[in-house]
Amino acid sequence: MKKFSLITGAVLAVSLLASPAQAASDLPNTHRFYEEMTFLQTKGVISGFEDGTMRPDQTVSRAEAAIMIGKLKGLDGTQRGTKFADVPANLKASGYIASAAQAGYISGYLDGSFKPNAPITRGDMAIILSYVFPLAMQGLEDFKDVSPNMRAYDAIGQVVSGSIAAGYQDNTFKPTNATTRAQFAAFLSRGLEPKFQNDTHMKGSYLMDKTKTYTFQWNDGDIEKISYVKPKGELAEDWNFLWKGDFASGDSYYLVDIESSEFHATGEPFSEFFIDLVYPVKSGTKFNEDSPYGPAAQITKTGVTVKTKYKTFTNAVEVTVPADKDFEFDGVKYYMVPGFGNVKTLDLTGNVLGELISVK
């Protein structure tokens, strides 16, 4: 059982004159982050320049980032004096910088400066967004260029586990790289809208589609619907989004569905997580061998055809967990499918314990 660390908790040239819905001459619909920038335009979080451009690939400055964060959070942008020596009242972003600093979303440097024209690095971005959005979980991925002694270490873990950012295929995060306006817009959009979070899923991911509702039928006749939602109550203070299971019988619970380059796992918030599958997927691989909650699991087949009431899948992975008297466990077989996670669970005699019946 893997244990995861949890915690609680460019000169500024942005014009406010451009209409949020106005099409930018340099933002074609083929741009990678066209939808994200358009999404934030309609919300009034980002605006274009007086010449009709959006400049998506221009590096975003710390002042620009403060404006976007301020608009997103509804902060007071009235120009005024700040505690930062290099942010005078006549600076366009002064009000948002003051408000964002007071709210704890941004901070300055030890010398009392803010450096409003300095670029936002990916590491800086992670720190800011870890304050803007509740992102309680961290430590899913070990990037080879991110060390525990880095200031942004915890924040990078949070934004990655929260599906706001992702690393690169070479297992790096590139924390010192500058962030463009389009990239920053993408990060903000993912914090607000689940459909953009799907873009952070790795190729062949076993994570569920965050825009869908998955319905399961269990062997006691109960129906469960699982949807990706904003949590309510105390959990809202620490989790931006969670999966929520609602049973027809009236019970409900919250679920975390997570993935790294090494595994897929599920569990309840603020708990240890059960690893459902390990990567690379290979028949014969055993995992959860040191779990205190049950016997080790084993990948017993790949490329399996499995029929559910929703559809027949031809690319399932069969995982077998044997019976174990010490755990008073009768054993199960379950089937994992990319983009769906666990679609069917059987006992070892072949009786269906639960299966997917609908995805909408």
Side-chain angles (χ1 to χ4, degrees):
M1 169 68 68
K2 182 166 183 175
K3 196 170 184 178
F4 301 94
S5 171
L6 300 173
I7 62 173
T8 57
V11 176
L12 180 66
V14 176
S15 168
L16 302 181
L17 300 177
S19 168
Q22 180 179 335
S25 59
D26 59 344
L27 184 63
N29 58 14
T30 54
H31 191 283
R32 179 184 176 188
F33 297 121
Y34 170 81
E35 287 191 37
E36 289 88 339
M37 294 200 79
T38 303
F39 173 74
L40 289 188
Q41 275 187 289
T42 61
K43 288 188 170 294
V45 173
I46 188 171
S47 54
F49 294 82
E50 291 181 342
D51 62 0
T53 62
M54 184 59 69
R55 302 177 196 176
D57 301 317
Q58 176 177 293
T59 298
V60 68
S61 70
R62 288 170 55 81
E64 285 180 293
I67 290 178
M68 293 185 211
I69 294 299
K71 290 181 177 180
L72 184 146
K73 301 298 288 187
L75 302 180
D76 180 8
T78 303
Q79 290 179 241
R80 58 189 185 274
T82 73
K83 64 180 182 180
F84 302 111
D86 56 349
V87 182
N90 63 356
L91 186 71
K92 190 76 172 180
S94 62
Y96 284 119
I97 291 173
S99 296
Q102 185 176 6
Y105 300 136
I106 59 175
S107 60
Y109 294 87
L110 294 177
D111 63 1
S113 68
F114 182 74
K115 297 181 174 51
N117 298 327
I120 287 281
T121 66
R122 283 172 57 83
D124 292 336
M125 170 276 300
I127 292 172
I128 292 172
L129 296 184
S130 71
Y131 293 133
V132 172
F133 301 110
L135 299 166
M137 198 174 68
Q138 62 183 35
L140 293 184
E141 195 75 73
D142 294 323
F143 297 108
K144 61 186 180 184
D145 60 348
V146 179
S147 61
N149 62 353
M150 292 177 58
R151 178 169 170 260
Y153 177 78
D154 287 343
I156 289 171
Q158 287 177 273
V159 297
V160 170
S161 64
S163 297
I164 287 178
Y168 294 86
Q169 291 185 353
D170 62 356
N171 195 34
T172 63
F173 188 77
K174 304 187 187 334
T176 60
N177 280 17
T179 304
T180 66
R181 283 167 52 82
Q183 290 168 341
F184 197 76
F187 298 139
L188 291 179
S189 297
R190 292 168 188 165
L192 295 174
E193 175 54 53
K195 75 174 183 177
F196 297 121
Q197 293 187 23
N198 283 337
D199 294 338
T200 67
H201 296 182
M202 65 186 191
K203 184 178 180 180
S205 170
Y206 285 77
L207 293 175
M208 294 182 286
D209 184 331
K210 292 176 169 62
T211 67
K212 306 292 186 182
T213 295
Y214 295 75
T215 304
F216 291 83
Q217 183 173 32
W218 300 101
N219 62 342
D220 61 358
D222 210 351
I223 301 296
E224 177 191 11
K225 292 187 176 183
I226 300 178
S227 304
Y228 197 59
V229 301
K230 287 275 190 182
K232 296 181 179 179
E234 294 183 1
L235 287 175
E237 298 176 6
D238 299 294
W239 300 87
N240 191 34
F241 284 94
L242 284 170
W243 288 94
K244 186 171 184 284
D246 291 301
F247 290 91
S249 58
D251 294 332
S252 64
Y253 70 102
Y254 285 105
L255 174 72
V256 180
D257 181 45
I258 55 178
E259 188 175 52
S260 76
S261 60
E262 298 179 346
F263 60 84
H264 177 278
T266 53
E268 296 184 13
F270 298 118
S271 72
E272 291 191 349
F273 295 85
F274 182 81
I275 295 178
D276 304 293
L277 192 62
V278 291
Y279 307 141
V281 174
K282 184 178 180 181
S283 182
T285 302
K286 290 186 176 181
F287 55 98
N288 289 336
E289 293 181 271
D290 58 348
S291 171
Y293 304 111
Q298 182 175 10
I299 298 174
T300 44
K301 293 180 183 178
T302 60
V304 178
T305 295
V306 57
K307 184 177 181 180
T308 70
K309 290 185 177 180
Y310 168 59
K311 65 179 291 187
T312 297
F313 298 94
T314 59
N315 59 339
V317 177
E318 180 186 85
V319 178
T320 301
V321 186
D324 192 304
K325 292 182 179 179
D326 292 338
F327 290 102
E328 297 182 351
F329 180 68
D330 294 330
V332 297
K333 287 187 178 182
Y334 59 88
Y335 297 87
M336 300 285 293
V337 174
F340 294 86
N342 186 351
V343 299
K344 192 169 188 175
T345 303
L346 310 174
D347 66 20
L348 295 184
T349 63
N351 295 315
V352 178
L353 302 178
E355 66 181 311
L356 185 66
I357 64 173
S358 173
V359 178
K360 295 182 180 180

